[in-house]
Every structure is written in C-alpha cells, then in structure tokens.
Amino acid sequence: MRLTLGSFYPLLLHFRHATVASVDAQLRLLCMGPMDTVGGNSLRHLFAFFRVAVKAQVDYEMIQAILDRTLQLHGEVLAGMSDMQSLLKEISMDQEEGWKRIQSMMQQCLCMVELFSNVQL
C-alpha cells in the first residue's frame, strides 16, 4: 500500500490516527476562501491525495467521509477553481469504478448466502 500511495502515505497514516474532531478542525482551517492562495494550493494537494486514495481503494469509508466533509466545507471555493474541474471529474469516475466493485462483491455475497441457505444438512 505504501508504494501505491507514494508520498501520500504519511497523510493516510495521519488521517487514520487523528480524531474526527481534529480532522474536522484541520479541514475547516485548510482554506479561508477564494482569495486564500495558500489554502487553494492546500486544497489542490488534498484532492490529489483523494484521487490516489480512491484509485488505490484504501480505507474506503474514511476517505469518503473526509472527501464529503471537504466538499461541504469548501465546495464553493472548489467551484471557482477551474483548474480543479478535471481532477474532480477523475475522482468521480474513480469513485464509480470503486462502487461498481463493491456492488459486485455484495452481489457475490448475497448469492453465496442464498446458496448456503438452501443447502440441506
């Protein structure tokens, strides 16, 4: 997994060990608005991490929760960042791929449950 995430691996470890409250506070302070160029760069880096993490399919629930919270807090700023649109579309497509994989696995589990529930012992 370390190879898959590359330089983003320490960030994944940080999120794994942080409390929900501290992650929320860090996300709130990440960008102070459209005029905050340092915050805008921080958002770019965070979404690059999301792209790699979603593509690598690691810590799915945690990544989705952090991504959702980031979009809630900074959606308006992201909407004004035209250079981010292609990255956001890529993340969305990667999420669809991941969701298809999860649906397939759930379908397989349901089929196995149905098969074994009909077996006579």
Side-chain angles (χ1 to χ4, degrees):
M1 178 173 22
R2 179 175 282 210
L3 293 174
T4 308
L5 293 173
S7 63
F8 290 118
Y9 187 72
L11 183 57
L12 177 70
L13 290 178
H14 170 75
F15 283 135
R16 281 183 180 170
H17 296 101
T19 64
V20 173
S22 70
V23 170
D24 187 60
Q26 291 167 1
L27 291 176
R28 286 178 183 276
L29 296 173
L30 191 62
C31 183
M32 297 299 154
M35 303 306 284
D36 182 5
T37 56
V38 173
N41 288 333
S42 297
L43 282 173
R44 285 180 186 87
H45 291 299
L46 182 61
F47 276 85
F49 163 73
F50 288 145
R51 171 81 200 286
V52 171
V54 168
K55 196 161 191 67
Q57 299 177 356
V58 295
D59 293 302
Y60 184 81
E61 295 87 3
M62 179 186 72
I63 297 299
Q64 294 301 314
I66 296 170
L67 177 59
D68 178 60
R69 186 64 179 145
T70 305
L71 289 171
Q72 287 175 3
L73 293 170
H74 304 293
E76 291 178 22
V77 173
L78 288 165
M81 298 170 71
S82 59
D83 61 320
M84 290 290 291
Q85 301 311 310
S86 64
L87 179 61
L88 293 171
K89 286 179 185 176
E90 290 172 6
I91 292 171
S92 177
M93 290 184 335
D94 290 338
Q95 283 181 306
E96 284 183 40
E97 292 288 321
W99 181 241
K100 287 177 186 175
R101 184 176 153 269
I102 289 172
Q103 283 180 318
S104 173
M105 290 173 22
M106 288 184 345
Q107 183 63 36
Q108 290 174 2
C109 288
L110 288 172
C111 288
M112 295 296 284
V113 167
E114 186 175 332
L115 173 71
F116 289 122
S117 66
N118 291 329
V119 171
Q120 298 289 323
L121 297 178

